[in-house]
């Protein structure tokens, strides 16, 4: 069930799955961080959690996003309430030189033998970050201004990721009344390594400053670097800025000569994204490797040679034990300068020990591609983007770097031909097992529901992880007759009424798989939604509890929130036999309604600044 794409893709309209998981050959999985049908999947006082990577010792790292502390609407109570369950409006991150910088991303660890319990997320400070639970809006020094991310951890416990500089201030001289400071930081993204003993090592990019010859002034611009992956020899793969673009230099020169803002504040303003998401200061970016033991960095070659001032980019995202780096780079396909693409690539040392760039050949109708990871067998996984049935879709592929002439292979997923279900791999272990996510509904015009997948390359077996779970891991329990029914959660709201809703857990992304089959990723868990006033404050009842949103039947309105999830093969359980035809992505994979599931599609699948490796 696979097709090499040196043949023409031919798709048919697919309405039903042919023989989905016809025989249960894949392992049965249990969710290990579940307690009373709830997920211990984020750190205290945060809403969302994401599992990023698991190493050979079943130690994992993750990222929490979104603080839960919200002001209450009761005029007699100027405190805060910590919503332990439920959906709250996402706190907007406002990029402004006129406002204090407030972090919204926090690093955590979680492991099978954790001091607080198995797989309990535990906040871990990076470069002085503070726990979100300790933030007090009335005590500015407790508010964390450093955003931090973990992307990987080696078996030796060495972690890699990225962080931002802390907030700094400049005395305000503008026209806003009551404003005391302008706010800025020295850099927006910097890769780092955290050793097992707690030592933190920043990975500096080649450019952190700009010198103006005309004005004889040196300006801190910060640059950018990301540590995305680490292997067992303490070699880190990632990417870093190497020089400023010409237009960025013009912007900085204007900051130096301008009179509206101090130089540092002007530079910060130009580095923040505008309303369209673009930044005025950009860099040439190249794939990089760093040797942790001697702190040396090596720039990897770009996929093309050019003396133009065009901004080109290359990124290292995964690395194996031999130091082969997987990622992507701008390239002129087949040397044709009319066919610039941003394509999957890998970098491998030659006989002289120098890294050489290798393109993974794509066809003209494949718009772009990316490689996320590579295992110690040399099997690389990635995805390409192509119009399928009239819509641009990502499709998962694998590629054997030891036999590059064979080309890449696009596995079939749930069907007898390559479907138009978008899919992306995120990790591959040394047993050639791949995890990632795939779309499991067939809407053409609407966003599609996603599910985590497990693909066994050697068996050519593709599975929706939700079909491999035990019933208890999906939110079911057995009734008095032994039938599996969804667990009902009872909650009291601000009116004093006791309301109930059904438990539901769905795996929406698998980010990493260990050699023993342990998987970490992201699951959605169903929670009730709260009522907020026009100012965005919780509406509190007379009993001091917040009021839930109620539907026409008097039941609480629910939605899905993302939480870190840990899966391990079950030695005793069986895959849940309950057939689900309720738009869950299981059963016949045909959507059946339930508009609330649109929330599944809003999962911020954690960007491309990520990848982690042993």
């Amino acid at each position: 069930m696979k097709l090499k794409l040196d043949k023409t893709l031919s798709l048919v309209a697919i309405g039903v799955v042919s023989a989905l998981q016809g025989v249960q050959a894949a392992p049965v999985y249990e969710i290990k961080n579940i307690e009373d049908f709830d997920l211990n999947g984020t750190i205290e006082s945060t809403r969302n959690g994401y599992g990023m990577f698991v190493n050979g010792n079943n130690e994992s790292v993750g990222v929490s996003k979104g603080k839960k502390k919200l002001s209450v609407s009761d005029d007699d109570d100027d405190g805060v309430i910590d919503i332990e369950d439920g959906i709250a409006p996402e706190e907007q991150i406002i990029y402004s030189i006129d406002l204090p910088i407030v972090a919204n991303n926090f690093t955590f660890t979680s492991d099978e033998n954790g001091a607080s319990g198995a797989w309990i997320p535990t906040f871990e400070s990076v470069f002085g970050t503070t726990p979100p639970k300790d933030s007090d809006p009335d005590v500015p020094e407790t508010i964390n201004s450093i955003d931090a991310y973990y992307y990987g951890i080696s078996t030796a416990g060495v972690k890699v990721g990225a962080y931002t500089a802390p907030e700094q201030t400049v005395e305000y001289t503008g026209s806003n009344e009551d404003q005391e400071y302008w706010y800025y930081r020295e850099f927006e993204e910097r890769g780092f390594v955290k050793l097992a003993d707690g030592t933190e090592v920043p990975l500096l990019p080649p450019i952190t400053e700009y010198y103006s010859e005309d004005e004889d002034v040196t300006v801190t611009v910060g640059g950018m670097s990301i540590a995305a992956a680490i292997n067992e020899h303490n070699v880190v793969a990632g990417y870093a800025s190497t020089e400023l673009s010409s237009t960025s230099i013009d912007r900085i020169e204007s900051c130096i000569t301008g009179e509206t803002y101090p130089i540092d504040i002007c530079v910060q303003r130009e580095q923040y994204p505008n309303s369209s998401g673009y930044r005025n200061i950009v860099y040439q970016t190249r794939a990089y490797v760093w040797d942790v033991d001697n702190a040396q960095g090596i720039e990897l070659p770009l996929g093309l040679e050019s003396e133009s001032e065009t901004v080109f980019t290359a990124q290292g995202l995964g690395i194996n034990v031999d130091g082969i780096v997987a990622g992507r780079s701008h390239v002129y396909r087949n040397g044709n300068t009319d066919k610039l693409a941003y394509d999957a690539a890998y970098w491998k040392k030659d006989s002289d020990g120098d890294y050489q760039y290798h393109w993974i050949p794509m066809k003209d109708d494949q718009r772009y591609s990316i490689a996320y990871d590579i295992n110690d067998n040399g099997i690389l996984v990635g995805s390409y983007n192509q119009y399928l049935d009239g819509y641009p879709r990502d499709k998962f592929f694998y590629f054997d770097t030891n036999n590059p002439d064979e080309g890449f292979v696009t596995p079939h997923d749930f069907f007898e031909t390559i479907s138009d279900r978008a899919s992306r791999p995120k990790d591959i272990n040394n047993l050639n097992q791949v995890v990632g996510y795939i779309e499991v509904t067939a809407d053409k015009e609407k966003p599609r529901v996603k599910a985590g997948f497990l693909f066994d390359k050697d068996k050519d077996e593709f599975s929706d992880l939700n079909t491999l779970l035990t019933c208890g891991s999906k939110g079911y329990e057995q009734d008095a007759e032994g039938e599996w029914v969804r667990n009902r959660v009872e909650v009291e709201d601000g009116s004093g009424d006791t309301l109930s809703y059904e438990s539901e857990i769905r795996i929406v992304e698998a980010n990493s798989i260990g050699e023993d089959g342990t998987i970490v990723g992201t699951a959605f868990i169903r929670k009730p939604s709260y009522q907020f006033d026009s100012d965005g404050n919780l509406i509190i009842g007379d009993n001091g509890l917040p009021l839930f949103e109620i539907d026409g039947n008097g039941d609480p309105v629910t939605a899905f929130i993302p939480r870190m999830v840990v899966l391990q093969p079950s030695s005793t359980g069986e895959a849940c036999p309950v057939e689900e035809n309720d738009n869950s992505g299981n059963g016949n994979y045909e959507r059946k309604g339930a508009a609330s599931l649109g929330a599944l599609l809003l999962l911020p699948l954690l960007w491309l600044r990520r990848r982690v490796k042993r």
Side-chain angles (χ1 to χ4, degrees):
M1 290 181 60
K2 54 180 177 283
L3 175 68
K4 292 184 180 179
L5 283 188
D6 54 0
K7 303 177 182 178
T8 302
L9 283 176
S10 174
L11 297 176
V12 297
I14 300 172
V16 295
V17 62
S18 57
L20 175 64
Q21 312 301 125
V23 176
Q24 186 61 53
V28 175
Y29 272 92
E30 292 181 301
I31 295 179
K32 306 304 290 188
N33 60 322
I34 193 171
E35 182 178 359
D36 295 330
F37 297 93
D38 200 359
L39 284 179
N40 293 320
T42 193
I43 55 178
E44 186 177 350
S45 298
T46 60
R47 286 191 292 270
N48 304 339
Y50 307 87
M52 300 301 292
F53 191 75
V54 61
N55 69 10
N57 295 327
N58 279 342
E59 300 165 325
S60 72
V61 293
V63 177
S64 289
K65 296 173 66 71
K67 294 172 64 177
K68 291 195 301 185
K69 294 284 188 180
L70 299 173
S71 297
V72 300
S73 59
D74 188 344
D75 292 336
D76 296 328
D77 184 358
D78 59 355
V80 293
I81 185 169
D82 185 4
I83 303 176
E84 290 300 333
D85 299 310
I87 305 299
E90 191 73 33
E91 291 180 356
Q92 296 296 315
I93 301 301
I94 301 174
Y95 296 97
S96 173
I97 57 175
D98 297 318
L99 297 173
I101 298 173
V102 178
N104 204 40
N105 300 278
F106 309 91
T107 47
F108 68 79
T109 60
S110 169
D111 64 83
E112 191 172 40
N113 300 306
S116 301
W119 302 112
I120 300 298
T122 302
F123 172 80
E124 184 166 284
S125 178
V126 173
F127 292 94
T129 55
T130 56
K133 71 179 181 63
D134 294 340
S135 295
D136 184 340
D138 295 326
V139 184
E141 57 267 25
T142 69
I143 299 175
N144 181 35
S145 65
I146 299 174
D147 282 293
Y149 310 86
Y150 273 149
Y151 300 137
I153 178 173
S154 71
T155 302
V158 181
K159 307 176 188 76
V160 296
Y163 71 110
T164 64
E167 172 191 273
Q168 297 189 58
T169 59
V170 171
E171 184 178 353
Y172 183 74
T173 59
S175 59
N176 295 338
E177 293 185 7
D178 301 324
Q179 184 169 331
E180 187 175 2
Y181 298 110
W182 273 304
Y183 303 88
Y184 76 103
R185 53 193 177 198
E186 289 189 349
F187 56 85
E188 297 300 300
E189 290 180 315
R190 181 152 297 169
F192 72 92
V193 173
K194 186 166 185 175
L195 304 180
D197 65 4
T199 302
E200 297 165 335
V201 183
L203 300 177
L204 301 181
I207 178 172
T208 61
E209 296 179 333
Y210 169 75
Y211 174 69
S212 171
E213 293 184 357
D214 292 340
E215 302 297 327
D216 191 25
V217 172
T218 298
V219 177
T220 298
V221 294
M224 178 273 297
S225 62
I226 298 292
I230 184 168
N231 69 12
E232 295 305 331
H233 297 307
N234 278 351
V235 179
V236 176
Y239 46 102
S241 56
T242 57
E243 59 182 294
L244 287 158
S245 69
S246 58
T247 56
S248 298
I249 291 174
D250 293 340
R251 294 274 187 174
I252 296 171
E253 289 285 355
S254 296
C255 285
I256 294 172
T257 58
E259 298 180 356
T260 305
Y261 303 103
I263 295 175
D264 288 333
I265 300 302
C266 181
V267 170
Q268 177 69 84
R269 185 171 180 268
E270 298 292 348
Q271 300 234 48
Y272 277 149
N274 59 25
S275 58
S276 300
Y278 295 104
R279 301 175 189 265
N280 290 327
I281 293 180
V282 295
Y283 304 90
Q284 296 283 352
T285 303
R286 301 292 182 264
Y288 248 76
V289 293
W290 292 270
D291 188 329
V292 175
D293 295 332
N294 57 27
Q296 290 184 344
I298 300 174
E299 178 182 339
L300 304 186
L302 188 68
L304 55 86
E305 294 183 3
S306 174
E307 296 181 358
S308 74
E309 294 184 347
T310 302
V311 175
F312 294 118
T313 300
Q315 297 173 316
L317 300 173
I319 187 170
N320 71 5
V321 71
D322 295 322
I324 303 175
V325 176
R328 61 178 177 175
S329 171
H330 275 114
V331 63
Y332 293 126
R333 289 185 176 176
N334 297 310
N336 186 339
T337 56
D338 292 329
K339 293 183 178 180
L340 177 66
Y342 198 18
D343 273 346
Y346 63 99
W347 291 264
K348 187 176 182 178
K349 288 184 177 180
D350 59 21
S351 58
D352 294 326
D354 298 322
Y355 274 100
Q356 301 297 329
Y357 164 85
H358 299 271
W359 177 49
I360 299 177
M362 295 284 147
K363 290 185 173 296
D364 289 345
D365 56 354
Q366 287 143 14
R367 302 163 68 221
Y368 52 83
S369 59
I370 180 172
Y372 287 98
D373 198 18
I374 184 170
N375 69 7
D376 297 345
N377 305 320
I379 305 300
L380 175 151
V381 293
S383 63
Y384 58 85
N385 186 275
Q386 180 174 335
Y387 278 93
L388 301 175
D389 282 2
Y391 295 84
R393 308 289 189 196
D394 295 318
K395 292 300 293 185
F396 154 44
F397 72 83
Y398 64 83
F399 178 84
D400 187 350
T401 60
N402 296 310
N403 298 285
D405 292 340
E406 292 186 0
F408 65 84
V409 176
T410 302
H412 293 176
D413 36 66
F414 307 119
F415 306 95
E416 292 299 332
T417 184
I418 292 180
S419 77
D420 73 336
R421 303 297 202 274
S423 56
R424 281 189 178 184
K426 293 303 182 73
D427 191 35
I428 179 171
N429 66 12
N430 292 325
L431 298 178
N432 293 338
Q433 295 172 311
V434 184
V435 292
Y437 73 83
I438 184 171
E439 295 172 341
V440 291
T441 50
D443 295 298
K444 299 295 185 184
E445 302 293 340
K446 301 177 182 178
R448 293 172 164 183
V449 175
K450 297 178 177 67
F453 75 74
L454 169 65
F455 173 69
D456 190 316
K457 172 185 173 293
D458 297 339
K459 296 179 182 178
D460 195 25
E461 182 177 76
F462 196 102
S463 303
D464 177 342
L465 282 169
N466 294 284
T467 69
L468 306 182
L469 294 177
T470 61
C471 285
S473 293
K474 299 179 72 170
Y476 288 96
E477 61 182 349
Q478 286 184 302
D479 62 16
E481 286 74 38
E483 297 294 326
W484 288 104
V485 296
R486 287 204 178 275
N487 171 67
R488 293 202 68 84
V489 180
E490 292 189 349
V491 289
E492 182 182 358
D493 84 338
S495 68
D497 293 334
T498 298
L499 308 173
S500 67
Y501 64 95
E502 293 184 339
S503 297
E504 191 171 2
I505 301 171
R506 296 184 184 174
I507 314 300
V508 293
E509 181 180 46
N511 282 325
S512 176
I513 181 168
E515 305 306 326
D516 67 349
T518 299
I519 296 171
V520 298
T522 305
F524 273 163
I525 184 167
R526 190 177 290 282
K527 295 288 184 180
S529 299
Y530 292 102
Q531 293 185 38
F532 294 84
D533 63 21
S534 58
D535 295 324
N537 295 315
L538 281 167
I539 299 177
I540 306 299
D542 292 338
N543 60 1
L545 296 176
L547 292 171
F548 294 117
E549 292 280 357
I550 304 298
D551 65 18
N553 298 319
D555 296 321
V557 174
T558 60
F560 284 108
I561 56 175
R563 293 281 170 84
M564 176 201 76
V565 67
V566 180
L567 309 176
Q568 288 185 318
S570 173
S571 59
T572 57
E574 64 175 358
C576 190
V578 179
E579 183 176 355
E580 297 177 321
N581 293 315
D582 60 350
N583 176 23
S584 67
N586 298 311
N588 63 8
Y589 283 82
E590 291 181 329
R591 187 164 186 155
K592 297 294 184 180
S596 66
L597 289 181
L600 273 172
L601 307 152
L602 302 181
L603 174 67
L605 291 175
L606 282 195
W607 52 85
L608 291 178
R609 297 175 309 180
R610 54 181 325 282
R611 259 341 331 129
V612 282
K613 192 58 204 164
R614 291 155 291 283

